[in-house]
Amino acid sequence: MSMLLDAAQAQKTGRTVIAVDIAEMAVAADPALVLVTYSLGSCVGVSVFDPEAGVGGLIHCMLPLSKIDPRRAADRPAMFVDTGLPALLQAVYDLGANRRNLQLKAAGGGSPLGPDEIFKIGQRNLEVLGKVLWKNGLELRAQCVGGSQARTLALDLQSGRTVVRTDGKESEL
Amino acid sequence: MNLKREILHKVHAVPPLPEVVFKLQKYCNDPNVSYAELAKVIEVDPGLTTSLLRLANSAYFGCEQSIGSVQYAMTRLGLKRVYQIVLAVCVAPMSRTPIRGYDLAPAMLWQHAIATAMASEYLAQELGGADPADAFTAGMLHDMGKIVLGNFVNVDMDKIRQAMDQGGIPFDEAEREVFGTDHASVAAALLQRWQIPARIVTAVRYHHHPSACPDPEPLLDIVHIADVLCRDVGWGMGADALFYRFDPTSATRLALPPDIAEQTMAEVSIGLEGMMGFFQTLGAAQGQPAAQPVG
């Protein structure tokens, strides 16, 4: 699975790695693709996959709530969890995914060491993620969240497998 | 020679900044300076002139009227802004190389530098108390110590990790345990050598631990908050990830309004996209030698 996170390796096996930047998302129904998002700190990455339809998506949200900048949220829904996740879900539905089949996984939501950090962006990103999922009647299948690590999250659109890389070590999510 | 002394000695292996940076800095606060004369100092270097004009016309630095000459850039943007841009053009090639010891991919240190510069400037504009131009410069330079530690000393990251894991301590504390110094102190030594103004050097030296500074100014607190926010987002994250402590003293001293953190992050994320594109091509245009490890 490690080859999936390496664009050059992936190309040798006929796969294409699509990098999802901060405040962006990608959806596709192409089994040749691997969606990857890097450097998740307090940001939250969410992968979604419907194995029956072969449709999947990945988003990298930076902030919890769009109310701090509604104009930017209209332009860039993926920047915020409360606008990004509904946009991601709608985009996979538009490609033929069925809500009942969705496999959702999340990584990120980290924070600096110690109890003194006042912004709590990571924690609040995870709280809002929970609320949006609850509203949509969805649950996370797996998650790798919290702590102070940086994480990379990848979704293989062929198998639906999800991998998290932390400190150079990869594990299946 | 002990490790700390060896590290501080290596500061001298980093290339000095070109003379033009010092000249601009010297005249920044001189009301009698002749822009025509000072423009010539830049114009002798065609690469630098091209880079300066491109950045002067970028969305972030630019203004509505297009800027076609160095002298006009000085009039329109102000000498401090021109100094900032020239400094960025000279420092960019050094910080765009991969920083081996810190596990920073190419351009990652630079991405963190520019993000922190923008966040610092935004906070200074919103909160007052510090000159936004100084804030930009301090934010841009705050992690330059990693160039020395990562490329010239070859940091043994395993030792740092062990110290962090065993002691449950932040990254900068682990650096001090292993090296006897940390990247913030090394950055301060480098900036002193580069003759960067003292208030900026102080902000850089204490950027992980503002409450330890005997003579703190709002500039220091602004750079601390900006660094924390940019690290949180993951702009230019290396092996040190989020393994730092937040210093609540800074937030108290600045009396941060609610939502300022999130507004700063949203603001920077948009500005950064345009800026990184500009700098990607700068190294070649500028022809500055990148920092090379010398042993």
mmCIF file of all heavy atoms in Angstrom, chain B residues 120 127 250:
data_model
loop_
_atom_site.group_PDB
_atom_site.id
_atom_site.type_symbol
_atom_site.label_atom_id
_atom_site.label_comp_id
_atom_site.label_asym_id
_atom_site.label_seq_id
_atom_site.Cartn_x
_atom_site.Cartn_y
_atom_site.Cartn_z
ATOM 1 N N SER B 120 1.538 37.224 10.420
ATOM 2 C CA SER B 120 2.069 38.237 11.339
ATOM 3 C C SER B 120 1.646 39.627 10.880
ATOM 4 O O SER B 120 1.239 40.471 11.693
ATOM 5 C CB SER B 120 3.596 38.172 11.398
ATOM 6 O OG SER B 120 4.028 36.906 11.810
ATOM 7 N N LEU B 127 -4.426 44.205 15.070
ATOM 8 C CA LEU B 127 -4.291 44.420 16.520
ATOM 9 C C LEU B 127 -3.529 45.689 16.869
ATOM 10 O O LEU B 127 -3.636 46.190 17.982
ATOM 11 C CB LEU B 127 -3.579 43.227 17.174
ATOM 12 C CG LEU B 127 -4.194 41.846 16.950
ATOM 13 C CD1 LEU B 127 -3.270 40.770 17.492
ATOM 14 C CD2 LEU B 127 -5.559 41.756 17.631
ATOM 15 N N SER B 250 1.168 35.417 25.476
ATOM 16 C CA SER B 250 1.051 36.222 24.252
ATOM 17 C C SER B 250 -0.390 36.611 23.971
ATOM 18 O O SER B 250 -0.679 37.757 23.618
ATOM 19 C CB SER B 250 1.587 35.438 23.046
ATOM 20 O OG SER B 250 2.978 35.429 23.085
#
